[in-house]
Amino acid sequence: MERSVSNIHPPVCGNLITVLSIDGGGIRGIIPGVILDRLESELQILDGNDVRLADYFDVITGTSTGGLITAMLSAPNEHGRPLFAAKDIVPFYLKNGPQIFPQPSGILAWASKIPKVLAGPRYDGKYLYKLLRDLLGNTRLHQTLTKVAIPAFDIKKLQPTIFSSYQIPINPAIDALLSDICISTSAAPTYFPPYYFENNGKEFNLIDGGIAANNPTLVALREVTKQIMKDNPDFSGTDPTDYTRFLVISIGTGSSKREKKYDAKTASKWGVISWLFEDNNSPILDFFGEASKDMVDYHNSVVFQALHSEENYLRIDDDTLTGEMASVDVSTKENMDNLKEIGVKLLEKTVSRIDLDTGLFEPVEGGGSNAEALKRFAKLLSDEKKLRGSNSPTSQDKSS
């Protein structure tokens, strides 16, 4: 397949650098699926039913289930358009979730999972692997319709691996099959086995991207900032500290912060098994994931506010999940329907920010609802796309 053609003119033709970020969270990817559907619908109201999210963002970044969504939104189909519309994400999870995360049945179903945790990962990943290979075929990283950045973690090197479109010219080995990248970023410890593959003479020994960056927003900002510092002509004239030029939408997959499940007194009695398997979850992975995404949101909130750019940063997440909804792998119809409903209700909630003193999301004064914020951001994205089109060399050549 030849290199796909992006519909995005570079940031040098406009005023903004646009970033979309999607957290990890397994089956909870249904929640950002609902949010992205609303955002794309708002863009279609402005610019027509054929537009897609990949037409508006300079870079899309995603971890684990967010990495899969990133590929769905940016990989080309046979017509050179995005493989999935945003409205197709939730149906994809509803259809394939029960096969990706097959649920045991019976009265002692929960107990049947324990031997698997002791002997190996809960799931062999075979259905997911085949699904991604069939879906993405031979499409490689360089062929996405916009730039992407998908993190994983190399357990042999003990360091993150970032599959970034920007880095291909200096590191051709990361120009891997998108299917291999998605399998790697989704290989959550205790849930799926680590994933090994080779590309351009380099070997990769990878696990879930959430170990490196469960909220990958800073991954994308880092990749863009490096291009600015390298004087990439696409970002000509951009000051890397001028956050008024960044427009960032960061979408989480929910958490159970308001449901106090653990405390030090209880955890002090845990052994290895309990840290890896407690209440149908893996507490140690929950802790890593929550700490990672909260610190990124906290950093972004402070930096954007300090640099007078808080109106350009939107974080949408939920901290009210309870019971099975907080799990990454409960794929029953009831739970998936509940997650979809959480996403719908989240649209009507007030725009919020993480408060590290309380650990909870606190409403932003005058922020309006998340749905209203998405509508505002859609207008900014639409205006930016039109501005770039009018300022592009091709457009100027035609006018002259």
Side-chain angles (χ1 to χ4, degrees):
M1 182 185 292
E2 298 298 322
R3 182 180 178 87
S4 299
V5 179
S6 172
N7 287 326
I8 302 178
H9 296 292
V12 70
C13 297
N15 292 329
L16 299 170
I17 300 167
T18 55
V19 176
L20 174 63
S21 176
I22 310 156
D23 285 10
I27 197 64
R28 301 200 313 264
I30 289 171
I31 295 173
V34 174
I35 307 303
L36 293 169
D37 184 10
R38 173 61 69 91
L39 176 58
E40 191 167 87
S41 295
E42 294 291 351
L43 290 166
Q44 290 171 343
I45 290 171
L46 295 169
D47 296 334
N49 291 334
D50 293 334
V51 301
R52 299 289 183 265
L53 292 175
D55 300 329
Y56 295 87
F57 288 97
D58 294 306
V59 56
I60 304 177
T61 184
T63 294
S64 193
T65 199
L68 173 55
I69 294 173
T70 296
M72 293 164 69
L73 296 175
S74 63
N77 62 19
E78 64 273 19
H79 304 295
R81 295 295 291 145
L83 198 60
F84 279 72
K87 65 180 177 62
D88 299 322
I89 295 172
V90 172
F92 173 87
Y93 278 89
L94 297 179
K95 176 182 178 182
N96 295 291
Q99 286 74 47
I100 296 173
F101 303 109
Q103 302 296 295
S105 58
I107 298 176
L108 298 178
W110 64 272
S112 69
K113 293 185 178 182
I114 296 178
K116 291 185 178 181
V117 174
L118 297 176
R122 297 189 196 184
Y123 310 103
D124 60 23
K126 291 180 180 179
Y127 181 88
L128 177 63
Y129 299 173
K130 184 178 187 305
L131 176 67
L132 291 173
R133 287 166 181 154
D134 289 346
L135 182 69
L136 298 168
N138 294 320
T139 303
R140 292 187 174 271
L141 180 62
H142 77 270
Q143 294 171 307
T144 56
L145 294 169
T146 190
K147 297 291 193 295
V148 303
I150 300 175
F153 188 85
D154 194 306
I155 59 174
K156 188 172 183 179
K157 296 180 178 180
L158 291 180
Q159 67 181 36
T161 296
I162 310 298
F163 292 95
S164 167
S165 307
Y166 293 112
Q167 300 303 318
I168 293 173
I170 61 174
N171 185 9
I174 66 169
D175 188 23
L177 292 171
L178 275 182
S179 58
D180 284 336
I181 295 172
C182 288
I183 292 170
S184 300
T185 194
S186 302
T190 75
Y191 291 95
F192 293 108
Y195 189 65
Y196 174 88
F197 70 93
E198 296 180 8
N199 190 54
N200 287 343
K202 183 176 180 179
E203 65 173 24
F204 296 88
N205 299 268
L206 302 175
I207 60 173
D208 184 69
I211 299 297
N214 202 42
N215 174 348
T217 308
L218 285 182
V219 172
L221 293 178
R222 169 188 175 274
E223 291 301 304
V224 169
T225 301
K226 285 176 65 176
Q227 295 308 303
I228 295 172
M229 295 173 65
K230 290 178 179 179
D231 296 322
N232 183 326
D234 285 351
F235 301 91
S236 180
T238 302
D239 179 350
T241 64
D242 182 7
Y243 271 55
T244 62
R245 289 212 61 187
F246 285 96
L247 184 150
V248 177
I249 300 177
S250 176
I251 305 176
T253 58
S255 69
S256 57
K257 288 181 181 298
R258 295 182 188 270
E259 182 187 43
K260 304 301 183 183
K261 298 189 297 181
Y262 311 117
D263 57 53
K265 187 178 294 186
T266 301
S268 66
K269 303 174 184 176
W270 289 352
V272 173
I273 295 175
S274 294
W275 279 96
L276 294 175
F277 186 85
E278 183 75 13
D279 294 334
N280 199 38
N281 289 303
S282 179
I284 190 66
L285 293 182
D286 286 348
F287 300 156
F288 275 124
E290 290 303 313
S292 168
K293 73 176 188 177
D294 285 354
M295 288 303 294
V296 170
D297 183 32
Y298 183 70
H299 169 85
N300 286 334
S301 297
V302 171
V303 170
F304 274 85
Q305 184 174 3
L307 298 177
H308 310 291
S309 310
E310 58 266 35
E311 293 300 312
N312 285 13
Y313 174 66
L314 176 63
R315 172 70 173 172
I316 299 180
D317 202 1
D318 188 278
D319 61 0
T320 64
L321 302 188
T322 59
E324 292 185 338
M325 287 185 291
S327 175
V328 301
D329 68 331
V330 177
S331 59
T332 62
K333 183 180 185 305
E334 179 184 9
N335 191 52
M336 292 191 295
D337 287 343
N338 286 338
L339 291 170
K340 182 179 177 181
E341 184 62 23
I342 286 287
V344 172
K345 290 180 179 178
L346 183 55
L347 288 168
E348 304 311 316
K349 288 187 176 182
T350 302
V351 173
S352 301
R353 295 278 187 274
I354 188 71
D355 184 330
L356 285 193
D357 291 330
T358 65
L360 304 176
F361 293 112
E362 303 295 345
V364 174
E365 186 176 353
S369 70
N370 288 316
E372 291 169 337
L374 287 172
K375 185 174 183 177
R376 181 173 67 83
F377 271 70
K379 183 64 165 61
L380 293 172
L381 289 165
S382 176
D383 289 347
E384 174 69 10
K385 181 173 169 44
K386 292 181 176 70
L387 176 63
R388 293 188 191 187
S390 64
N391 288 341
S392 70
T394 303
S395 175
Q396 292 177 352
D397 289 344
K398 289 181 179 178
S399 63
S400 60

